[in-house]
Amino acid sequence: MGSALSEGELLVEIASTDTRHARVRIPPKRAGEVSEGQTAGLKFNSRPELEFVSSVAAVAAAAEDGWLEAYVVLPNGSWQPGPGMTGIAKIHTIRGTVAQAIARSLRRTIRVDLWL
């Protein structure tokens, strides 16, 4: 206790306590299905019994490192995840029947096979 800081050392880090955002990585083949306002469910590895339900606040305009990023607002609650925590997100995208989902999956598979 009571030591001097060197030049460039962190003294204080200020963060907003009002709103936290989760950065969700989306595979490129699903990029066209995600848009602002869609419902998202988030579970963090450190507290898998808790699920945060919110919505997509923004979607990045371009992919970075091979992934598209979406930002989801975390609702305020008794427990808040800290910076760097990881987990699983599910974004509710296209609504339709089971048959439509199977057809969409087949179209993707056929498209990939034809180009290979």
Side-chain angles (χ1 to χ4, degrees), residues 45-104:
N45 294 337
S46 59
R47 297 286 302 270
E49 72 280 1
L50 294 177
E51 182 176 10
F52 291 86
V53 178
S54 186
S55 62
V56 176
V59 179
E64 184 178 311
D65 297 328
W67 294 87
L68 185 72
E69 290 185 347
Y71 298 91
V72 177
V73 176
L74 294 174
N76 291 328
S78 58
W79 182 81
Q80 287 291 309
M85 287 187 168
T86 60
I88 297 172
K90 180 176 181 178
I91 298 175
H92 302 275
T93 56
I94 300 171
R95 294 189 66 102
T97 65
V98 173
Q100 289 170 327
I102 292 170
R104 218 175 15 254

Side-chain angles (χ1 to χ4, degrees), residues 4 12 16 20 22-23 27 36 41 57 59 61 70 77 82 84-85 89 93 98 107:
V12 176
S16 171
R20 288 186 181 220
R23 188 174 55 191
E36 291 181 20
V59 179
M85 287 187 168
T93 56
V98 173
R107 278 194 307 270

